[in-house]
C-alpha cells in the first residue's frame, strides 16, 4: 500500500522487472504521501490492479522471488496462507526461486494455531523457514533448494527441518478448511519459543515475552 516493498526491490542490485499486484487501484494516488511516487515512473516497474492470487493463477510468467506483503491470516489476506496458494506460488517460481510471506508469529495467542500455519508452509517446500528480520517483521520463506534462500542479516526462528517434538498432528490450513486466528492484544512468544528451542536457540533475539531488544 505504501510502495515501500516495491521501492526496496527496485533498490536491490541486479533487480530486473518488479511487478506489483495491488487490489486497490486508488492506492497509487497516496504514494506521494509516503515519498514513493517515483516507483510509478521506473522502467522496471509494472503495476497491475487486481487480486494477487488470481493474477498468479492466470499468468504464465515465472519469477525469481514472489513476495506477499500481507497483514496476516486474520484479514482478507487469509487466502495467501493456505496449502493451495503455496502450491500455486511454487509452480510460478523459477529454479532456485523463493517465496516470502509476511507472518508475525507473536500475534498468535494459541500455539496450536501457530503450529498449523507453520506446518502448512513448511510442508509446501523442500527448504522452508520462518525468519526474524527486525522489530515487527517476521516472514515465511520457501524454496526448492538451500541456494534459493541466501539468508543474510536475518535470524532463522523456525524451520521445517526442526519440528518440536510436542507439535502434534495439527491439521493443515486449506482453502476449504481455514484455521481461525484469534486477536492478540499483546505479544505471545510461547508458541514460537518451542520452535526456536528445537533449533537449539538460546535467548531469542526478539526478547523476553516478545518485547524486541533491537531498536
Amino acid at each position: 500500500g505504501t510502495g515501500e516493498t516495491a521501492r526496496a526491490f527496485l533498490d536491490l542490485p541486479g533487480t530486473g522487472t518488479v511487478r506489483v499486484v495491488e487490489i486497490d487501484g486508488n492506492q497509487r494516488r497516496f504514494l506521494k504521501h509516503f515519498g514513493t511516487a517515483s516507483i510509478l515512473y521506473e522502467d522496471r516497474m509494472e503495476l497491475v490492479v487486481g487480486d494477487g492470487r488470481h493474477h498468479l493463477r492466470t499468468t504464465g510468467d515465472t519469477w525469481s522471488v514472489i513476495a506477499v506483503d500481507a497483514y496476516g491470516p486474520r484479514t482478507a489476506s487469509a487466502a495467501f496462507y493456505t496449502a493451495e496458494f503455496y502450491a500455486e506460488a511454487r509452480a510460478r517460481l523459477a529454479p532456485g526461486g523463493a517465496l516470502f510471506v509476511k507472518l508475525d508469529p507473536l500475534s498468535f495467542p494459541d500455539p496450536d494455531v501457530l503450529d498449523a500455519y507453520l506446518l502448512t508452509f513448511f510442508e509446501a517446500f523442500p527448504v522452508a523457514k520462518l525468519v526474524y528480520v527486525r522489530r515487527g517483521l517476521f516472514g515465511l520463506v520457501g524454496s526448492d533448494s538451500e541456494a534459493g534462500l541466501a539468508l543474510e542479516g536475518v535470524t532463522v526462528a523456525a524451520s521445517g527441518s526442526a519440528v518440536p517434538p510436542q507439535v502434534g498432528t495439527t491439521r493443515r490450513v486449506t482453502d476449504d478448511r481455514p484455521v481461525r486466528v484469534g486477536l492478540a492484544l499483546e505479544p505471545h512468544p510461547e508458541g514460537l519459543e518451542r520452535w526456536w528451542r528445537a533449533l537449539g536457540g538460546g535467548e531469542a533475539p526478539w526478547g523476553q515475552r516478545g518485547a524486541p531488544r533491537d531498536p
Side-chain angles (χ1 to χ4, degrees):
T2 65
E4 291 290 351
T5 301
R7 180 76 272 164
F9 273 109
L10 289 166
D11 288 344
L12 288 173
T15 298
T17 299
V18 174
R19 180 178 299 167
V20 174
V21 184
E22 168 60 52
I23 198 167
D24 185 357
N26 293 316
Q27 194 64 32
R28 73 179 75 192
R29 295 190 294 114
F30 299 102
L31 295 180
K32 61 184 179 182
H33 299 292
F34 300 103
T36 55
S38 62
I39 64 174
L40 298 173
Y41 306 99
E42 287 269 2
D43 292 338
R44 295 170 296 151
M45 169 78 177
E46 297 179 0
L47 176 61
V48 176
V49 178
D51 178 85
R53 185 162 175 188
H54 179 265
H55 182 79
L56 200 65
R57 283 174 171 172
T58 55
T59 182
D61 298 325
T62 57
W63 300 90
S64 298
V65 176
I66 297 173
V68 179
D69 190 1
Y71 286 105
R74 281 196 302 270
T75 69
S77 304
F80 295 108
Y81 293 87
T82 68
E84 290 87 348
F85 169 70
Y86 299 145
E88 293 164 6
R90 184 178 174 187
R92 296 300 180 203
L93 288 174
L99 171 68
F100 172 89
V101 182
K102 188 190 296 184
L103 181 78
D104 179 10
L106 304 184
S107 68
F108 286 75
D110 186 338
D112 292 335
V113 173
L114 175 61
D115 292 344
Y117 279 90
L118 291 180
L119 289 170
T120 299
F121 186 88
F122 290 164
E123 290 184 356
F125 290 90
V127 182
K129 307 176 190 295
L130 172 75
V131 297
Y132 170 65
V133 182
R134 55 177 169 76
R135 181 175 180 175
L137 181 56
F138 287 82
L140 297 163
V141 289
S143 179
D144 286 338
S145 67
E146 286 284 357
L149 298 184
L151 302 175
E152 297 180 4
V154 300
T155 298
V156 176
S159 173
S161 62
V163 178
Q166 62 267 49
V167 173
T169 55
T170 305
R171 72 179 176 88
R172 306 310 183 249
V173 185
T174 59
D175 286 342
D176 61 339
R177 297 190 68 195
V179 177
R180 183 178 180 276
V181 180
L183 177 64
L185 299 179
E186 60 181 22
H188 285 262
E190 296 84 0
L192 180 58
E193 283 175 356
R194 55 189 185 180
W195 288 87
W196 174 248
R197 289 195 298 270
L199 286 171
E203 185 179 5
W206 43 89
Q208 294 296 321
R209 301 294 301 171
R213 291 203 309 268
D214 57 338

